[in-house]
Amino acid sequence: MDKMVKNQIIILNLTGGLSVELSNYFVAKNILIVDPEVDSSSHEWTHILTKDMNDFTKVSELHQTIEKDIRIISLTPVEDLQHFVVSNGKLILDELWMRNSLGAFILDKFLQEFGGITLGDNYPTFKEKGSFVITNPFNTGEYLDRMVQSAYLDGISGLSIKTFFDHLVMYLTGLKTKGKMGMPIEVTYGYFEDVFGVQLHFFTKDLILEDVTSSLSSTISKQAEKYLLNIAVQSSDFFDFTLLREVNKTVITGLWTKDERIKAENRGLLFNDLSAAASITSYPTEGITSFQVNDPPLNDFSDKVVLPPSPKEEEHKQTISGGKEEAPFVQTISGSETEDEIINLIKGKIEEEEEVFRIAGNKSFDVEKFAYRVSSGIEGKTKGDDVLKIKSLKSDLPDAIKNSFQEFALKLNKSVNDISESDLEAFKEVEIPRIIKDTTKKIDTKFNILVGNDKNSTEAPKDNEKLLELKITGINAENENLKNKIKTLMTEVKILKDSKAKMAEIHSKAVQASAETQPTMAQQSAAKLDNAFKEQILEKMNSQKTLSEQDTKKLAALMEKEAKFLQESRDHEVQLKKLQIETSQKETFVAQEMEKLNRVAKSKDLMITKAKEGFTKILEQKDLEIKSINDKLAAASKAMANNQTQNQAQKIRDLEKQIVNHEKMIEIYKSKIGQKPVVKGEDDLLKDDNKRLQLLTNQMKNQLEMAKKETTKYQERVASDAAAINALKVDKSKLEQQLKKEAQDIKRETVSNLNVQQQEQDMKKLKAQYEFLEKQFNEGQQRRKDVELKLQEALKGQKKDAIVEEPSTKGKAAHLEANVRKLTQDLVETRNQMAEMKKETNKLRLDKTSLQNQIDKMKKDAEKVKAAAPKTPGTPGKAA
Amino acid sequence: MKPTNEKIISLPIKDFAKKIICDGHLYLRSKEGRKFYLMKPGIMIDESFIKKHATNQTVFEYSPVIDDTVAAQFTTQFRELKYLQFEKDLRLKTQDIVAFFKGTFERDVHFLSFAMACYNEFCALPSEDLKKMHETDLHLFRKSLYSAAFAVIVGFTNDFYHYPMIKDFYNLTLGLDLGLCESHYSYFVAEACNHENQNPGSGQVWMRGEGASEMELNVFLKHPENGYKYFQEHAELFAYPELIEVVLYQHELSNGKGFPRGIPKGQVSSWEAVVILASSLVEIRDEYKFETEVLSYLFAFENKKLADIPVHRVYQKLCMGLGDIFKLKENAG
């Protein structure tokens, strides 16, 4: 903390005067501070100190604060933050902060320009209560809840923290959108003495003053972006915005203090732009937290959020001092508005001399008209010092009842406060009926006078009856009113009793609290003596009106003693409170530890359960696998048994399916053709379609003709082939005859080689002929196949066209149908022709086979002949 | 480290070629029966190695180290985390992962099981660049593979629950030493890095003492900036490109005397410290003790080293997440 100031700091003091604490600080830090009213010397100012200044334009222009980077420090809050920052305003710090341990540190931090990114580096000995990382600025709810919870537990207004955080995070989101800020945002929160701090740090790049000032507007408008930062600043007791340029990071810290003076009177602000910040290592962070490890339950702190009172309530509210500035003792008693809903707020201090209790109740009740002064002193104070105000009932309560209660108390020689329960019962049983009776009598008389119903009256009895009825009704109504009022009064008395009970409780607590400070026997006797002395003095004062010097001294000593005693008792009480806080903290710590242990145990249990679950799942999986394998096996064995029948059945089923599918398709196409709606005004399209269809039909016709021609050609060829075959047959028969002749010749005479040669030549010729025929036959077959293919293609094309085309009129559909029918007929004819041709071809094939057989036979015969003929070498062969 | 009771299986080259990173110990037996150690776990499988053995149709002897079930479970956990949205769900899932990590490595499971799951799930760096690193020094690649896996668990224990951010941490740590892969990388540079790791701030002094050339010194001192440049050129790989700046922090010291900028401890954020710590946990070595005893290795991390590098808080949270041993370490640094 005693870090040396880097450069000479010279401050121009425009405040007129500084507080002792601040002056001492500047002296201690050896900072030169110049008051222009006292010293007219000029220096190179580094800072300007101002107070109660809201327009910084003149100061900024005169001293060139922006150009020369002279930083303005304001010791009072400024109205327009935007303007302050634009004028190079860097720090707002009330002098009251200097009475707090953090004040000097804030000034150190600002003037010496140091800062770090952890809370411990930025602010001394902060104990970390929690930390978290924001990656998605719209997913921070849970963390914020926990932080707010922690703040409430530390006695800090969590609402302010919530507002600060929400607005700040949204401001940062805006910066991110501008590309000037990067995720993640690391958040740390903790406390130091009576200060709660929240710190955020994140990556920033090229952040300029405008990025800050643009969101500092003090005007609340629909554009939240303009005042987000301002709200964040205003929600905190001290706001620190430090830019660490060297590492491209920004650190924002919000501080909240329990110090009522700072809260009520001032807020602080610090804008620091650090280029080469140094960190402080002498302030280590106490403790470390992790959201993974700490996960305490969230409590409901709704009762901590109290809205400000409405103007009406504000009117009735009276500030009742309970002594000196110390924590007030507040007790709330709930009730209804008329009967039970009366809220009584008792505010006071036990040990104070002037104890004031205030019971607030019915809003519309006039306190001044119905207020009872009741002696409530714990130790028997003089009347009027201790006041118990009862605020209840409406103003229309009769004066008779109002006064009767006081009179009743006076009768008993008691104050209202001292009235016992039995007295109240007596008041209820005796006094109230008497009051009612008296009141009824008065009303009766008034009524009689009003309607002129005197005893001497001679009016008709009927009118009297009516009047009597009216009278009774009026009395009844009055009675009802009175009953209600009695009820209210009873409730009031009840509240009073409750209040008394509470007071007794408070008293007992006070007695308990001061038990330690109870005087000893000696002190008691001294006190007795003191009382005696007091009485003596009083007597003397009454009789002589003056006091002797000795008595005065004694009196002074007595007063001193009492003051000392009072001080001691206060010290004891403070100690007691501290002990209580410590105990509660310890309890919390123990509870946290217990929770932690429980959590660990739970996590272990969870792990075991998970492991168990895992194993169970694996086992289940294995079982399933086994089962499925078994099923498969059974299915396979069944399949083996019924394989053949199944296959056949399957095939049949498939075929049936196919048939059904085809039928369905035909139906669909038919329905499509039939259902197609007629669209008027599409004549051109229809014409085009018709043309296209005609072309298609022509093409089909052409194809058919071609196919016919081909078929004719083929038939011709087949005919020529048949002729050739016939010729061959003739040749064959001739050859057979020749063969027969030759065979006979062979038998008769020896066959010459020439004949054999001749035969061989014939055979060759026959073979050649056969080959030629075969070739022709193959070609014919090929052509036939081609024709078939073409026909098939044509058929396919026809089908395809039939599918693709979607005629849009019924006529067109009919035309198409006719075409299709015609084509189908042609096709059938062609198919028939083809079938005939096939038959013919088969015949030819048979012929060919028989011919081949004959040739083979002839060959064999020829070979036989060859083999049978005697080979005479050198014998010349016969010419064929 | 080679296991003592390793289970050897025959692995033909065609099966081995399917792997990208070797996940076991690879041996080759000669005709004479002699056994040669070819490759260790965590080494990238080179294409030329595959080609060479493919022609011979080699059948290796192989001893796998990773637990496939564990790796698959980690992968499943990462996938589950990837599709979660709400902060609480993310935190609980992260807690599960950390608990699973702790439970797994309390047994003798090889750390590569986790490293492989992380590599398969998070790696987004181009394979050419990883090959470049591998070619520069295969131990450097192995170091990066392990330290990147550490970055994942350090990130989880430090309250970073978002999948994209963890992925960024992984890739930043994996490519942290890409700046070293220059032409003048040498044994000196690698050893300087190790010295820097063992005794932060001593790397440069050691290099000068050993007579390293200026060019080598330059490679060492400039590698954070070179790495930063590389990542800036590949900013599209990151969900949070602003995190690239983390690379500049890898050799920063607590006393502000680190390089390249000399940033003091108080200005190092947790996300930077995650990467620094992960990188500091692994050196460029031939063998790693932690492969089979990660938890005890993490808990026994040297105190002195922690005092020198600005990661104390992050380390504490790591230990806190993995057990209560952090209390013993609280005064470290």
Side-chain angles (χ1 to χ4, degrees):
Chain A
M1 199 149 158
D2 291 324
K3 202 174 152 80
M4 288 305 292
V5 179
K6 280 191 282 189
N7 303 313
Q8 177 63 32
I9 296 171
I10 307 166
I11 301 174
L12 174 66
N13 181 13
L14 300 178
T15 60
L18 294 174
S19 67
V20 182
E21 291 88 358
L22 204 57
S23 301
N24 287 344
Y25 171 82
F26 288 130
V27 170
K29 296 288 170 184
N30 203 17
I31 293 168
L32 180 62
I33 183 145
V34 180
D35 190 340
E37 287 173 12
V38 182
D39 184 357
S40 57
S41 60
S42 184
H43 299 273
E44 286 288 315
W45 310 115
T46 53
H47 299 80
I48 295 174
L49 210 57
T50 66
K51 198 175 185 179
D52 298 322
M53 191 184 279
N54 280 311
D55 187 5
F56 297 91
T57 323
K58 280 181 187 173
V59 172
S60 178
E61 281 172 4
L62 188 69
H63 297 285
Q64 292 180 303
T65 53
I66 299 158
E67 292 82 359
K68 292 180 179 175
D69 192 26
I70 301 169
R71 295 159 185 211
I72 301 172
I73 304 167
S74 175
L75 297 179
T76 47
V78 292
E79 282 172 7
D80 191 348
L81 277 178
Q82 214 165 8
H83 170 64
F84 175 69
V85 175
V86 165
S87 310
N88 209 28
K90 297 290 181 186
L91 177 69
I92 300 169
L93 188 81
D94 196 284
E95 285 167 284
L96 281 169
W97 273 101
M98 296 310 290
R99 292 180 201 171
N100 190 297
S101 51
L102 263 183
F105 186 81
I106 290 168
L107 269 179
D108 269 356
K109 188 175 180 294
F110 174 68
L111 297 170
Q112 296 173 34
E113 294 185 357
F114 59 72
I117 55 164
T118 61
L119 196 59
D121 284 337
N122 253 347
Y123 291 93
T125 54
F126 257 86
K127 184 169 165 54
E128 183 179 308
K129 293 210 87 184
S131 72
F132 55 92
V133 177
I134 301 170
T135 311
N136 180 355
F138 286 91
N139 206 348
T140 58
E142 198 200 350
Y143 302 130
L144 179 58
D145 288 347
R146 291 193 184 279
M147 190 163 73
V148 167
Q149 186 92 182
S150 178
Y152 273 129
L153 288 170
D154 282 341
I156 301 287
S157 166
L159 193 62
S160 305
I161 292 166
K162 205 175 169 78
T163 314
F164 163 84
F165 188 81
D166 269 341
H167 286 83
L168 191 60
V169 167
M170 282 305 110
Y171 167 69
L172 298 181
T173 311
L175 281 185
K176 189 178 181 289
T177 315
K178 273 175 119 178
K180 300 210 164 181
M181 180 259 169
M183 290 289 168
I185 304 168
E186 197 172 342
V187 187
T188 322
Y189 56 93
Y191 66 87
F192 165 64
E193 291 180 357
D194 60 348
V195 181
F196 188 88
V198 177
Q199 182 161 299
L200 298 91
H201 87 266
F202 44 87
F203 170 85
T204 44
K205 203 175 182 183
D206 307 327
L207 203 66
I208 53 171
L209 195 64
E210 204 184 306
D211 296 317
V212 177
T213 54
S214 64
S215 201
L216 268 175
S217 168
S218 50
T219 319
I220 306 293
S221 67
K222 210 175 175 181
Q223 276 182 293
E225 296 86 347
K226 286 189 175 175
Y227 59 82
L228 282 171
L229 194 57
N230 192 30
I231 297 276
V233 171
Q234 301 296 346
S235 306
S236 59
D237 293 341
F238 189 80
F239 185 88
D240 175 358
F241 191 104
T242 303
L243 195 64
L244 304 169
R245 285 210 187 270
E246 200 186 18
V247 286
N248 291 330
K249 281 173 192 165
T250 298
V251 187
I252 296 176
T253 315
L255 299 178
W256 290 264
T257 173
K258 287 181 195 170
D259 194 330
E260 287 291 325
R261 293 165 303 181
I262 292 163
K263 262 187 136 174
E265 296 168 25
N266 178 57
R267 284 189 185 89
L269 174 76
L270 166 65
F271 279 105
N272 228 349
D273 187 347
L274 310 179
S275 51
S279 79
I280 303 165
T281 47
S282 56
Y283 301 116
T285 312
E286 283 180 28
I288 194 164
T289 60
S290 169
F291 258 83
Q292 277 204 342
V293 181
N294 299 326
D295 197 7
L298 290 171
N299 301 322
D300 184 2
F301 281 109
S302 304
D303 59 327
K304 301 271 181 188
V305 183
V306 183
L307 292 176
S310 62
K312 213 171 181 182
E313 279 177 319
E314 199 72 47
E315 276 173 24
H316 290 293
K317 208 168 183 179
Q318 288 178 2
T319 312
I320 301 160
S321 171
K324 285 177 190 172
E325 283 277 337
E326 277 193 40
F329 188 87
V330 178
Q331 195 164 6
T332 306
I333 305 162
S334 295
S336 66
E337 195 180 344
T338 53
E339 286 183 15
D340 300 327
E341 288 175 17
I342 298 169
I343 295 166
N344 300 304
L345 180 72
I346 301 171
K347 204 170 179 180
K349 280 184 72 66
I350 302 153
E351 74 281 9
E352 296 304 327
E353 294 252 304
E354 291 176 7
E355 287 202 32
V356 178
F357 293 87
R358 179 171 160 265
I359 303 172
N362 200 312
K363 288 176 191 174
S364 57
F365 176 61
D366 188 350
V367 182
E368 298 311 319
K369 279 189 180 175
F370 192 70
Y372 291 85
R373 290 185 165 232
V374 186
S375 172
S376 67
I378 294 161
E379 291 166 15
K381 308 287 177 216
T382 51
K383 280 177 189 175
D385 280 344
D386 296 339
V387 178
L388 177 69
K389 278 190 177 178
I390 304 163
K391 195 177 173 185
S392 178
L393 282 183
K394 289 179 184 175
S395 57
D396 55 354
L397 188 76
D399 287 342
I401 294 175
K402 284 182 191 173
N403 299 327
S404 294
F405 192 66
Q406 279 176 319
E407 281 167 14
F408 180 73
L410 278 170
K411 260 187 204 173
L412 296 171
N413 237 352
K414 285 179 182 175
S415 68
V416 178
N417 194 33
D418 294 335
I419 284 174
S420 66
E421 207 166 317
S422 57
D423 295 338
L424 283 170
E425 280 296 313
F427 180 72
K428 185 188 158 190
E429 295 294 325
V430 182
E431 290 297 317
I432 299 287
R434 187 184 60 77
I435 295 160
I436 294 165
K437 206 179 173 183
D438 290 351
T439 317
T440 320
K441 261 185 188 174
K442 279 176 192 170
I443 292 165
D444 243 11
T445 322
K446 275 181 191 172
F447 184 78
N448 285 337
I449 292 161
L450 197 69
V451 297
N453 192 15
D454 255 351
K455 280 177 184 174
N456 304 326
S457 176
T458 51
E459 280 185 19
K462 276 184 185 177
D463 290 344
N464 282 342
E465 272 174 24
K466 275 183 187 174
L467 283 168
L468 199 66
E469 272 175 20
L470 275 168
K471 197 177 156 186
I472 290 160
T473 322
I475 288 163
N476 281 339
E478 189 75 15
N479 265 339
E480 281 301 311
N481 278 338
L482 281 167
K483 275 179 189 171
N484 286 336
K485 278 162 193 172
I486 289 162
K487 267 187 185 175
T488 320
L489 198 66
M490 291 309 293
T491 318
E492 200 178 305
V493 168
K494 203 177 165 186
I495 292 157
L496 195 67
K497 276 197 269 178
D498 286 349
S499 310
K500 278 175 82 180
K502 294 282 174 191
M503 276 173 62
E505 199 183 324
I506 293 159
H507 181 64
S508 69
K509 274 184 185 173
V511 169
Q512 207 181 342
S514 58
E516 286 177 16
T517 57
Q518 281 284 333
T520 57
M521 287 299 282
Q523 280 172 330
Q524 278 176 351
S525 61
K528 273 180 190 172
L529 281 171
D530 288 346
N531 285 335
F533 178 70
K534 267 185 204 170
E535 278 168 12
Q536 273 180 9
I537 293 289
L538 278 170
E539 275 172 21
K540 273 185 185 177
M541 282 288 284
N542 285 332
S543 58
Q544 296 170 7
K545 305 282 178 191
T546 51
L547 287 171
S548 65
E549 199 179 328
Q550 201 182 352
D551 288 339
T552 318
K553 273 181 185 175
K554 275 184 180 176
L555 196 65
L558 186 69
M559 281 174 78
E560 204 177 308
K561 204 176 170 184
E562 279 187 350
K564 204 178 169 186
F565 180 68
L566 200 69
Q567 187 58 44
E568 271 177 8
S569 66
R570 275 183 189 167
D571 289 346
H572 279 293
E573 205 191 334
V574 169
Q575 217 171 350
L576 192 73
K577 275 183 183 172
K578 273 184 183 173
L579 279 167
Q580 278 174 345
I581 291 163
E582 271 177 24
T583 316
S584 66
Q585 277 178 346
K586 276 178 184 170
E587 276 173 5
T588 319
F589 177 73
V590 169
Q592 278 177 355
E593 286 294 313
M594 286 290 284
E595 273 170 16
K596 204 173 157 186
L597 287 169
N598 279 336
R599 215 167 28 254
V600 171
K602 271 181 190 171
S603 67
K604 278 184 179 170
D605 285 346
L606 197 74
M607 276 171 70
I608 293 162
T609 321
K610 277 189 178 174
K612 271 183 187 174
E613 278 173 8
F615 283 125
T616 323
K617 273 181 187 171
I618 291 164
L619 277 169
E620 279 171 2
Q621 252 182 348
K622 293 278 172 200
D623 284 344
L624 279 171
E625 277 174 21
I626 291 161
K627 206 180 171 186
S628 68
I629 288 163
N630 284 336
D631 290 346
K632 276 178 189 172
L633 268 169
S637 55
K638 266 186 184 177
M640 286 288 281
N642 306 319
N643 195 16
Q644 283 184 332
T645 48
Q646 265 186 351
N647 279 345
Q648 282 167 355
Q650 188 62 38
K651 275 179 185 174
I652 290 161
R653 256 180 263 137
D654 288 345
L655 282 166
E656 279 172 354
K657 266 185 190 174
Q658 277 180 3
I659 291 160
V660 172
N661 285 342
H662 285 305
E663 280 172 357
K664 276 180 185 171
M665 288 297 283
I666 290 159
E667 275 173 13
I668 288 162
Y669 288 134
K670 275 182 181 174
S671 64
K672 269 189 181 178
I673 291 161
Q675 283 170 5
K676 202 71 190 171
V678 182
V679 184
K680 284 179 185 177
E682 291 180 349
D683 290 347
D684 294 338
L685 280 170
L686 284 168
K687 277 176 189 173
D688 287 343
D689 283 327
N690 275 330
K691 271 182 188 173
R692 207 145 43 85
L693 281 162
Q694 273 173 356
L695 272 169
L696 197 75
T697 320
N698 290 337
Q699 275 178 0
M700 293 295 288
K701 275 179 183 174
N702 290 338
Q703 277 180 355
L704 267 168
E705 274 171 16
M706 286 278 281
K708 276 178 186 174
K709 277 179 188 171
E710 287 280 330
T711 318
T712 323
K713 273 184 189 173
Y714 185 71
Q715 280 172 343
E716 280 170 5
R717 281 198 181 165
V718 169
S720 68
D721 288 348
I725 288 161
N726 287 334
L728 275 168
K729 277 179 182 174
V730 173
D731 286 347
K732 183 192 149 193
S733 58
K734 279 179 184 172
L735 277 167
E736 275 174 353
Q737 281 171 3
Q738 273 182 355
L739 271 168
K740 275 176 186 173
K741 275 180 186 176
E742 278 174 3
Q744 280 171 357
D745 287 339
I746 287 161
K747 279 178 184 175
R748 284 171 196 163
E749 26 177 277
T750 54
V751 182
S752 65
N753 284 333
L754 282 169
N755 285 344
V756 176
Q757 279 173 356
Q758 185 63 42
Q759 271 184 345
E760 276 179 355
Q761 277 175 357
D762 288 343
M763 282 292 287
K764 274 177 188 173
K765 274 182 187 175
L766 272 169
K767 211 174 180 179
Q769 271 182 341
Y770 172 73
E771 276 171 3
F772 175 72
L773 273 171
E774 201 173 42
K775 204 178 173 184
Q776 273 190 336
F777 176 74
N778 286 339
E779 276 175 5
Q781 285 278 63
Q782 190 58 43
R783 275 187 206 124
R784 187 178 62 82
K785 275 179 187 170
D786 288 346
V787 171
E788 272 183 342
L789 273 171
K790 276 178 186 172
L791 271 168
Q792 276 173 358
E793 274 172 12
L795 197 66
K796 271 184 193 170
Q798 192 189 357
K799 277 183 183 174
K800 211 184 268 176
D801 288 338
I803 292 160
V804 170
E805 292 302 322
E806 289 182 358
S808 52
T809 61
K810 279 185 180 176
K812 195 173 155 187
H815 183 68
L816 263 172
E817 269 185 324
N819 279 341
V820 170
R821 251 179 255 134
K822 203 177 173 184
L823 281 167
T824 320
Q825 277 174 1
D826 290 345
L827 198 72
V828 171
E829 280 173 13
T830 321
R831 276 185 179 164
N832 291 337
Q833 282 177 358
M834 286 294 292
E836 280 174 10
M837 277 168 71
K838 271 182 187 173
K839 279 177 188 172
E840 193 66 37
T841 316
N842 284 337
K843 271 183 186 174
L844 282 166
R845 202 178 280 148
L846 280 168
D847 287 343
K848 181 194 149 195
T849 319
S850 62
L851 204 62
Q852 183 70 38
N853 290 338
Q854 280 178 0
I855 291 164
D856 290 339
K857 203 178 171 184
M858 279 169 71
K859 271 183 184 175
K860 278 177 187 173
D861 289 344
E863 276 171 8
K864 276 179 185 173
V865 171
K866 248 187 194 175
K871 285 181 183 174
T872 45
T875 318
K878 231 180 176 178
Chain B
M1 284 179 81
K2 278 184 272 182
T4 45
N5 54 344
E6 55 185 355
K7 188 187 168 189
I8 302 282
I9 55 162
S10 291
L11 186 74
I13 182 69
K14 66 178 173 64
D15 292 340
F16 186 69
K18 287 172 191 168
K19 298 177 192 291
I20 299 164
I21 291 165
C22 182
D23 54 4
H25 299 277
L26 193 75
Y27 305 94
L28 185 64
R29 199 172 283 278
S30 68
K31 283 172 189 171
E32 295 79 33
R34 280 183 67 190
K35 202 164 122 183
F36 296 95
Y37 188 55
L38 289 186
M39 208 178 279
K40 61 181 65 187
I43 299 285
M44 195 179 239
I45 298 164
D46 201 32
E47 217 170 283
S48 57
F49 178 87
I50 298 294
K51 274 182 189 170
K52 184 184 159 191
H53 289 280
T55 47
N56 300 331
Q57 289 293 303
T58 315
V59 177
F60 301 106
E61 285 186 5
Y62 193 62
S63 165
V65 293
I66 71 157
D67 187 330
D68 287 323
T69 320
V70 166
Q73 277 170 310
F74 274 121
T75 308
T76 314
Q77 303 254 39
F78 295 150
R79 293 274 160 86
E80 282 169 3
L81 182 78
K82 189 178 179 179
Y83 297 109
L84 289 176
Q85 281 188 356
F86 297 106
E87 209 66 19
K88 193 175 180 180
D89 297 336
L90 289 165
R91 194 176 73 240
L92 292 174
K93 180 42 72 188
T94 311
Q95 272 176 350
D96 279 353
I97 297 172
V98 172
F100 184 65
F101 181 90
K102 195 187 165 197
T104 303
F105 294 109
E106 272 169 354
R107 295 177 281 135
D108 285 339
V109 176
H110 201 282
F111 186 62
L112 191 64
S113 308
F114 180 69
M116 283 304 290
C118 291
Y119 178 83
N120 292 331
E121 189 61 33
F122 300 120
C123 181
L125 297 185
S127 56
E128 311 87 63
D129 297 323
L130 292 175
K131 272 179 194 166
K132 186 183 166 189
M133 187 196 277
H134 184 255
E135 279 161 14
T136 306
D137 183 354
L138 53 91
H139 295 305
L140 186 67
F141 172 79
R142 199 155 164 254
K143 181 248 174 193
S144 299
L145 186 78
Y146 282 138
S147 54
F150 275 125
V152 172
I153 200 69
V154 177
F156 281 146
T157 47
N158 273 273
D159 301 329
F160 292 99
Y161 314 128
H162 289 251
Y163 180 93
M165 190 154 281
I166 292 292
K167 191 175 176 181
D168 283 357
F169 283 151
Y170 182 86
N171 287 303
L172 282 168
T173 319
L174 187 67
L176 204 63
D177 290 327
L178 273 169
L180 279 173
C181 304
E182 298 290 316
S183 51
H184 298 290
Y185 176 86
S186 68
Y187 159 79
F188 282 119
V189 178
E191 273 304 303
C193 287
N194 287 342
H195 273 81
E196 192 70 25
N197 232 345
Q198 289 156 13
N199 188 11
S202 67
Q204 197 183 341
V205 179
W206 181 86
M207 274 184 105
R208 290 197 190 279
E210 290 294 313
S213 72
E214 277 304 311
M215 281 187 284
E216 284 168 328
L217 256 168
N218 204 35
V219 170
F220 175 67
L221 293 174
K222 290 273 175 188
H223 83 267
E225 281 154 333
N226 289 337
Y228 179 67
K229 272 181 205 162
Y230 168 82
F231 281 122
Q232 272 195 324
E233 283 161 16
H234 293 80
E236 73 283 353
L237 300 173
F238 296 93
Y240 302 94
E242 53 270 22
L243 285 176
I244 291 171
E245 198 140 328
V246 168
V247 182
L248 291 171
Y249 287 78
Q250 58 178 305
H251 286 291
E252 294 295 351
L253 303 175
S254 299
N255 59 10
K257 288 178 182 173
F259 64 93
R261 293 189 290 181
I263 294 164
K265 185 184 182 178
Q267 289 169 27
V268 177
S269 304
S270 61
W271 54 88
E272 286 138 6
V274 164
V275 176
I276 298 172
L277 177 64
S279 177
S280 304
L281 284 167
V282 194
E283 287 171 18
I284 309 167
R285 289 260 167 254
D286 190 32
E287 285 192 345
Y288 295 115
K289 203 183 165 190
F290 67 77
E291 280 178 316
T292 48
E293 42 195 52
V294 186
L295 288 183
S296 47
Y297 173 76
L298 286 176
F299 294 141
F301 200 54
E302 288 164 48
N303 290 353
K304 192 182 176 301
K305 195 167 156 182
L306 281 172
D308 292 335
I309 50 174
V311 296
H312 183 224
R313 187 185 157 84
V314 169
Y315 175 70
Q316 277 189 333
K317 283 183 112 173
L318 169 72
C319 294
M320 216 163 146
L322 296 173
D324 280 333
I325 300 160
F326 85 96
K327 279 180 182 168
L328 301 170
K329 302 277 164 195
E330 209 163 36
N331 296 322

